[in-house]
């Protein structure tokens, strides 16, 4: 045996011995102690600043501060919506097993996240479910109760609370290195839109999955589509950039008809599209246009009013007001269906196979499981052939924002901010993955891995927000809905009629944030 070969063998043997000794030591440590784990290595010893030594998403950049921040605390409490008033948009992602109809995979993921946090930090994660988070936050401002550390109101409620000084500015904690809003568990499109005057009083993160649940897409019936267009591959139409509002209208109109032959089109008949007056703004945001942009000071400015934004708006309004192919939720109510049954009736039209398309948040997908209907999803359509990118609007009405209540002391607020960061990272590691991969892709079969592009990836890769939609600004966010309710398409005149009050409100908010 040559000297070089012998040396190599010695080195391999030494390496093997080192690995075995390390494994034995780890086994002894695991079996010899029941104490809380010391947790991930300090920054620099993990994979990077956004992962721990085990390779899991974790804010390792703040590990050196964590003992001082946590102190003797053993519990973090998150204020969330319960299912008393919110039959659909209640929180299931903070504490598991609160509701019997929560998907098992989601309960498992929440349990895994919470167990990992408890293992690493010795902190238990608790939900504080209430009927109305906005009302509870306002009460907390008047009479502090010290019953929660973090709050998760809906985004438009967050905007109201931010103007009432109900939240800490998250940028303060970022400057202290307690959190990093550019971390991968925060929605960067949301952060860019939400901030005003470079202040972020709330954010959107993987601490919640509601921003995914209330993102919009088009649900369609492939089986029904094939009856009249057997050679049409709607997926390929999307990939080829030919999935436009005009194409949707063309296909949908082919399926609308007076099924019972009584001469009246109503909710018992067949339709090309089931929608709502409020969906007009979703079509608009899906066009790539916005209500508000930002100036150089990170302040909102009205952006709707240019040639394309007005023509796109008018086209959307005209298309959705054509009663020969689309039935709106409001039409169903006008036809005598009680408000308590309006949503179920609208869903049933699609679930019974009597509509080709339905504008749906992903929350409706879970409800479609009760029907024996084939369904699939595609992005919201392009406004016209000049648009090159698909955009997915996220509802500001039901997506959760996350904030740190200003009623907390500075010391308690630092703990809350740190735990918000930890729970968001853990949400990305466990909960967002479970919802996306195990529920939407597998349980609801909305993914086709044989394709070169995953349709869900295409939908979720560009979720968009709009500061004008979130803050409302005295009628700006409801402009398209108002025109739909009035059967009007005169977007230009309506915009000019409210421009003064919108600008005044924008200036008031900016002034408030400059204090």
């Amino acid at each position: 045996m040559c000297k070089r070969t012998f040396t190599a063998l010695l080195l391999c043997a030494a390496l093997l011995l080192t690995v075995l000794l390390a494994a034995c030591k780890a086994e002894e440590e695991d079996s010899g102690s029941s104490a809380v784990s010391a947790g991930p290595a300090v920054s620099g010893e993990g994979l990077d600043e956004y992962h721990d030594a085990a390779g899991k998403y974790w804010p390792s950049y703040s590990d050196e501060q964590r003992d001082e921040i946590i102190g003797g605390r053993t519990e973090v409490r998150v204020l969330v919506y319960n299912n008393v008033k919110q039959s659909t948009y209640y929180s299931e992602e903070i504490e598991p097993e609160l509701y019997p109809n929560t998907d098992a995979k989601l309960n498992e993921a929440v349990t895994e996240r919470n167990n990992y946090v408890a293992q690493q930090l010795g902190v238990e994660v608790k939900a504080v479910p209430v009927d109305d988070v906005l009302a509870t936050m306002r009460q907390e401002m008047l009479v502090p109760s010290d019953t929660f550390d973090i709050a998760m109101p809906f985004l438009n409620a967050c905007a109201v609370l931010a103007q009432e000084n109900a939240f800490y500015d998250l940028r303060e904690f970022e400057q202290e290195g307690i959190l990093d809003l550019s971390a991968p568990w925060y929605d960067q499109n949301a952060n860019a839109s939400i901030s005003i005057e470079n202040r972020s009083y709330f954010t959107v993160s993987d601490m919640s999955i509601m921003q995914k649940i209330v993102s919009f897409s088009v649900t369609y019936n492939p089986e029904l589509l094939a009856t009249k267009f057997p050679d049409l591959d709607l997926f390929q139409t999307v990939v080829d950039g030919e999935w436009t509002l005009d194409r949707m209208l063309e296909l949908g109109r082919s399926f609308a008809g007076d099924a019972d032959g009584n001469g009246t089109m109503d909710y018992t008949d067949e339709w090309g599209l089931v929608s709502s007056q409020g969906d007009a703004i979703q079509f608009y945001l899906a066009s790539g246009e916005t209500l508000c942009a930002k100036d150089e000071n990170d302040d909102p400015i009205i952006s709707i009013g240019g040639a394309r934004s007005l023509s796109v708006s008018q086209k959307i309004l005209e298309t959705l007001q054509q009663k020969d192919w689309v039935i709106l939720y409001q039409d169903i109510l006008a036809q005598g269906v009680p408000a308590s049954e309006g949503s179920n009736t609208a869903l049933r039209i699609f679930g019974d196979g009597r509509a080709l398309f339905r504008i749906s948040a992903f929350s409706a997908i879970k409800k479609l499981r009760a029907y024996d209907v084939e369904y699939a999803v595609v992005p919201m359509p392009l406004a016209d052939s000049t648009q090159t990118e698909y955009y997915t609007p996220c509802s500001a009405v039901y997506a959760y924002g996350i904030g740190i209540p200003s009623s907390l002391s500075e010391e308690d607020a630092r703990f809350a901010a740190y735990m918000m960061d930890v729970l968001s990272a853990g949400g990305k590691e466990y909960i967002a993955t479970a919802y996306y991969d195990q529920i939407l892709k597998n349980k609801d079969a909305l993914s086709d891995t044989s394709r070169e592009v995953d349709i869900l990836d295409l939908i979720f890769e560009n979720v968009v927000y709009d500061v004008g939609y979130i803050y409302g600004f005295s009628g700006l966010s409801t402009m398209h809905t108002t025109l739909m309710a009035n059967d009007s398409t005169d977007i230009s005149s309506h915009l000019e009629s409210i421009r003064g009050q919108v600008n005044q409100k924008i200036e008031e908010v900016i002034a408030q944030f400059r204090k």
Side-chain angles (χ1 to χ4, degrees):
M1 182 182 297
C2 71
K3 182 177 180 180
R4 180 177 299 174
T5 302
F6 181 73
T7 301
L9 287 172
L10 285 176
L11 288 173
C12 288
L15 179 60
L16 178 60
L17 180 60
T18 300
V19 171
L20 288 173
L21 288 173
C24 289
K25 181 179 179 182
E27 186 176 350
E28 289 172 359
E29 290 175 347
D30 288 343
S31 62
S33 174
S34 60
V36 175
S37 167
V42 296
S43 182
E45 294 184 15
L47 293 178
D48 59 36
E49 62 181 347
Y50 300 131
H51 296 81
D52 62 15
K56 299 181 184 294
Y57 282 111
W58 187 270
S60 57
Y61 48 78
S62 58
D63 278 344
E64 292 179 345
Q65 300 186 64
R66 74 180 194 182
D67 290 342
E68 176 265 323
I69 291 172
I70 294 173
R73 297 176 181 86
T74 58
E75 187 176 82
V76 60
R77 305 154 302 172
V78 185
L79 184 70
V80 296
Y81 294 93
N82 62 26
N83 67 344
V84 175
K85 292 182 178 180
Q86 295 298 330
S87 60
T88 300
Y89 308 107
Y90 54 92
S91 172
E92 302 172 284
E93 69 276 72
I94 298 302
E95 188 174 339
E97 309 294 345
L98 293 180
Y99 307 102
N101 58 341
T102 299
D103 282 311
K105 291 295 184 183
L106 183 56
N107 273 326
E108 290 173 13
V110 175
T111 299
E112 284 185 291
R113 191 272 310 276
N114 292 359
N115 285 347
Y116 195 69
V117 170
Q119 175 192 4
Q120 303 303 303
L121 304 177
V123 175
E124 299 292 330
V125 181
K126 295 293 183 182
V128 181
V130 297
D131 293 356
D132 188 334
V133 174
L134 173 60
T136 303
M137 279 288 294
R138 282 175 161 167
Q139 180 63 27
E140 187 72 11
M141 292 287 291
L142 295 173
V143 185
S145 63
D146 190 29
T147 55
F148 56 89
D149 307 293
I150 303 168
M152 292 207 315
F154 295 128
L155 276 177
N156 56 0
C158 282
V160 171
L161 290 166
Q163 296 171 66
E164 296 175 358
N165 299 314
F167 294 127
Y168 277 89
D169 180 4
L170 297 175
R171 297 290 180 185
E172 296 177 11
F173 305 111
E174 190 173 45
Q175 291 170 4
E176 294 184 56
I178 294 174
L179 57 80
D180 178 0
L181 291 175
S182 67
W185 42 85
Y186 293 107
D187 190 314
Q188 299 310 312
N189 283 349
N191 280 341
S193 180
I194 287 170
S195 64
I196 296 177
E197 282 284 304
N198 294 305
R199 299 188 180 198
S200 298
Y201 290 101
F202 53 98
T203 186
V204 174
S205 82
D206 288 320
M207 183 170 161
S208 169
I209 54 172
M210 192 58 72
Q211 74 275 18
K212 291 181 173 63
I213 291 174
V214 298
S215 288
F216 282 86
S217 66
V218 178
T219 309
Y220 73 100
N221 186 327
E223 193 173 60
L224 188 60
L225 181 65
T227 62
K228 292 189 177 182
F229 299 92
D231 299 324
L232 177 64
D233 185 343
L234 194 57
F235 170 88
Q236 196 60 47
T237 301
V238 171
V239 173
D240 292 341
E242 298 173 356
W243 174 232
T244 63
L245 185 57
D246 286 338
R247 186 64 165 144
M248 184 183 197
L249 172 62
E250 174 192 353
L251 296 173
R253 181 165 279 155
S254 301
F255 291 90
D258 182 10
D260 55 18
N262 66 357
T264 301
M265 289 287 287
D266 60 22
Y267 64 90
T268 64
D269 291 310
E270 296 170 341
W271 296 93
L273 172 67
V274 182
S275 188
S276 173
Q277 292 173 355
D279 290 336
I281 182 61
Q282 312 304 338
F283 278 96
Y284 176 75
L285 296 175
S287 76
E289 295 292 336
T290 57
L291 298 174
C292 282
K294 297 285 194 68
D295 65 13
E296 65 277 6
N297 297 315
D298 193 39
D299 290 334
I301 52 174
I302 297 176
S303 54
I304 186 172
R308 184 176 185 271
S309 66
L310 293 178
S311 65
V312 163
S313 292
Q314 188 162 345
K315 181 177 183 178
I316 291 167
L317 294 167
E318 289 172 351
T319 303
L320 293 183
Q321 289 174 24
Q322 295 180 32
K323 304 295 185 179
D324 60 342
W325 81 289
V326 57
I327 185 168
L328 303 175
Y329 165 79
Q330 290 76 15
D331 297 331
I332 294 171
L333 298 185
Q335 291 161 14
V337 174
S340 59
E341 285 299 315
S343 295
N344 290 334
T345 302
L347 185 69
R348 189 177 304 117
I349 295 172
F350 185 88
D352 287 346
R354 292 186 289 110
L356 179 62
F357 297 121
R358 184 180 190 277
I359 305 304
S360 298
F362 280 86
S363 56
I365 299 299
K366 185 174 181 178
K367 297 178 181 180
L368 282 176
R369 297 175 192 164
Y371 292 91
D372 184 22
V373 64
E374 186 178 353
Y375 55 86
V377 293
V378 288
M380 294 289 287
L382 305 172
D384 51 47
S385 59
T386 66
Q387 186 178 335
T388 59
E389 189 171 0
Y390 293 100
Y391 299 95
T392 298
C394 177
S395 173
V397 180
Y398 293 118
Y400 292 158
I402 306 168
I404 308 302
S406 60
S407 57
L408 297 176
S409 68
E410 291 185 11
E411 183 180 354
D412 288 341
R414 294 177 79 247
F415 168 73
Y418 173 73
M419 292 307 304
M420 182 187 80
D421 211 31
V422 166
L423 293 177
S424 299
K428 183 171 181 62
E429 178 68 35
Y430 295 104
I431 302 171
T433 302
Y435 177 69
Y436 194 65
D437 292 339
Q438 299 177 32
I439 297 176
L440 289 183
K441 285 191 174 184
N442 292 328
K443 185 171 185 175
D444 291 316
L446 296 180
S447 176
D448 187 348
T449 55
S450 67
R451 299 282 196 168
E452 68 274 18
V453 176
D454 189 298
I455 199 70
L456 276 181
D457 292 346
L458 183 64
I459 290 170
F460 280 109
E461 70 184 6
N462 204 5
V463 177
V464 294
Y465 304 79
D466 189 305
V467 67
Y469 184 36
I470 293 171
Y471 274 82
F473 293 137
S474 297
L476 186 66
S477 64
T478 57
M479 184 166 50
H480 293 81
T481 305
T482 299
L483 288 166
M484 285 292 297
N486 294 332
D487 288 323
S488 171
T489 62
D490 192 357
I491 184 74
S492 181
S493 294
H494 187 76
L495 175 61
E496 291 311 310
S497 72
I498 66 171
R499 185 182 292 275
Q501 67 191 46
V502 170
N503 277 325
Q504 180 179 347
K505 183 60 179 178
I506 290 174
E507 288 303 318
E508 288 176 4
V509 173
I510 292 172
Q512 175 72 15
F513 283 15
R514 281 177 179 165
K515 291 181 180 178

